[in-house]
Amino acid sequence: ESKQQGGNQVTYYSPDMKGKVLLRFEIENHLRTALQKKELFLCYQPLVDLKTGRVTGNEALLRWNHPHLGLVAPLEFIPLAEEIGVIEEIGAWVIQSACLQTKDWQRKGFGSLGVSVNVSARQFREPGFLQVVIDALKQASLEPEYLTLELTESTMLQNIDHSILTMKELQKLGVKVSIDDFGTGYSSLSYLRSLPINSLKIDKSFISNLQTDSNGFSIVRAIISMGRGLEVEVVAEGVETQEQAELLREMSCQYAQGFFIQKPLQSSDYEKGASEGQLTRYLPLKKG
Ligand code: C2E
Ligand code: MG
Ligand code: MG
Ligand code: MG
């Protein structure tokens, strides 16, 4: 079975096509050299301001073009990269590449775009992590305010004191911190208040339930109003329809990302879309 990503012409390899043991061996073996062999690349998925429809930034999403298996999904190989100890190297490369690409697009006049980069737990805990971020910004001459690092609740809670320290250091640099997949973890509201974050991303499972029942609606509305109370920006991820985007805008959710707006794009496709002014499908409906 393979998963088609809406119009992306990309078929992810799925592990039940072959014995899982063999697959793991195959993947593990190749993962160690994937970076060197330039098999890794980033796709960029736009985030839009729901009020204006403007693209404010992009999330960098890692892809691996495996020599035999084709495209392997990040959820298949990132946990393995953590396990075999190559995530630090790969993660550093992701931050560097995302910063360089973003500066390049700013120079090309695509707007004052920011970039969001996912950080894995092990990468975040690594002693050299802050230096990796500092070096990447410097190398790209990117102002720190344009970089957002996305962490999940479970990453933050693994060692809460250390996490808070690191997040504060990042913010001192001017880098922003976001909670990814918000609502799927176990953080209590009191924890949330003590976390130095700039934004939270409502997990896509809540967005897909937005219209299915009144509970789904209430949960999303509650998260948005909580974000406002905590004075953090709120991003909805996994927006797949115009109706969802409209509902979110009416609920005063500030930003959105999802297949309806735009799928994750390779750099060349992104540039094509940006120069043709067709980067997103979302246009806020005028009222009245
Ligand atoms: P995430 O950070 O929550 O990223 C959003 C995921 O949702 C992406 O999957 C994206 O392609 C997908 N998505 C976007 N819009 C929609 C939509 O409208 N509907 C649905 N159903 N899905 C949508 P992807 O690229 O497969 O990445 C999966 C996860 O892998 C990411 O979840 C993130 O946790 C991790 N990941 C991706 N790139 C990196 C990376 O560079 N480093 C680390 N540590 N993790 C990464
Ligand atoms: Mg993310
Ligand atoms: Mg997410
Ligand atoms: Mg995630």
Side-chain angles (χ1 to χ4, degrees):
E1 186 212 349
S2 62
K3 184 169 94 183
Q4 236 359 85
Q5 256 205 341
N8 220 358
Q9 268 86 55
V10 160
T11 308
Y12 282 124
Y13 183 84
S14 161
D16 42 287
M17 285 158 83
K18 208 180 189 182
K20 287 221 174 182
V21 178
L22 212 72
L23 175 72
R24 195 198 137 102
F25 180 77
E26 175 83 357
I27 289 187
E28 188 179 314
N29 227 4
H30 282 89
L31 195 50
R32 295 182 194 279
T33 55
L35 196 55
Q36 262 165 265
K37 291 184 176 159
K38 302 196 189 310
E39 292 163 4
L40 299 178
F41 65 98
L42 295 177
C43 280
Y44 292 87
Q45 186 177 35
L47 274 82
V48 295
D49 180 325
L50 281 169
K51 258 194 203 152
T52 62
R54 224 174 265 144
V55 177
T56 59
N58 301 292
E59 179 172 8
L61 294 161
L62 186 58
R63 300 289 180 260
W64 180 20
N65 197 1
H66 186 283
H68 313 144
L69 302 174
L71 222 49
V72 184
L75 291 175
E76 293 287 340
F77 71 88
I78 287 168
L80 198 60
E82 286 215 318
E83 242 178 83
I84 66 173
V86 294
I87 195 66
E88 285 89 346
E89 200 191 341
I90 291 176
W93 176 84
V94 171
I95 297 175
Q96 287 158 16
S97 308
C99 289
L100 286 167
Q101 181 65 91
T102 299
K103 186 67 188 188
D104 179 46
W105 285 343
Q106 289 183 355
R107 285 189 174 129
K108 284 182 171 144
F110 295 166
S112 53
L113 298 173
V115 69
S116 299
V117 176
N118 295 285
V119 175
S120 78
R122 180 164 166 171
Q123 183 188 1
F124 182 63
R125 284 199 310 266
E126 193 214 351
F129 178 66
L130 278 171
Q131 197 57 48
V132 166
V133 175
I134 293 168
D135 292 346
L137 289 167
K138 193 170 166 206
Q139 189 198 359
S141 309
L142 184 72
E143 288 81 0
E145 70 202 78
Y146 293 114
L147 177 64
T148 298
L149 297 175
E150 297 190 1
L151 305 164
T152 62
E153 288 164 84
S154 72
T155 296
M156 293 179 187
L157 299 182
Q158 268 178 29
N159 182 342
I160 183 87
D161 296 327
H162 177 261
S163 296
I164 290 177
L165 278 177
T166 309
M167 288 155 79
K168 283 189 174 153
E169 288 298 321
L170 287 168
Q171 290 181 331
K172 259 193 241 161
L173 294 174
V175 172
K176 291 175 178 156
V177 180
S178 183
I179 304 189
D180 202 357
D181 307 335
F182 183 78
T184 60
Y186 300 95
S187 56
S188 68
L189 291 180
S190 58
Y191 261 139
L192 199 60
R193 220 164 37 106
S194 66
L195 291 173
I197 53 161
N198 304 87
S199 59
L200 59 85
K201 297 183 84 168
I202 308 175
D203 188 67
K204 47 185 174 292
S205 59
F206 298 106
I207 306 306
S208 62
N209 285 332
L210 195 54
Q211 290 146 299
T212 51
D213 55 50
S214 61
N215 282 343
F217 184 86
S218 303
I219 289 170
V220 171
R221 196 176 46 190
I223 296 176
I224 294 168
S225 82
M226 194 191 64
R228 195 178 308 126
L230 293 170
E231 297 181 315
V232 300
E233 293 178 334
V234 177
V235 183
E237 64 175 21
V239 176
E240 296 185 347
T241 66
Q242 168 88 47
E243 294 72 38
Q244 289 170 348
E246 279 305 313
L247 269 174
L248 288 159
R249 185 180 60 82
E250 282 164 18
M251 289 194 254
S252 303
C253 179
Q254 291 141 307
Y255 303 101
Q257 176 186 357
F259 294 159
F260 166 68
I261 296 153
Q262 184 57 272
K263 66 200 180 211
L265 297 172
Q266 296 199 32
S267 293
S268 53
D269 293 332
Y270 187 98
E271 294 188 4
K272 193 163 175 283
S275 44
E276 289 169 1
Q278 303 210 327
L279 209 44
T280 80
R281 242 196 300 173
Y282 173 72
L283 276 173
L285 290 180
K286 289 253 161 58
K287 277 201 177 155

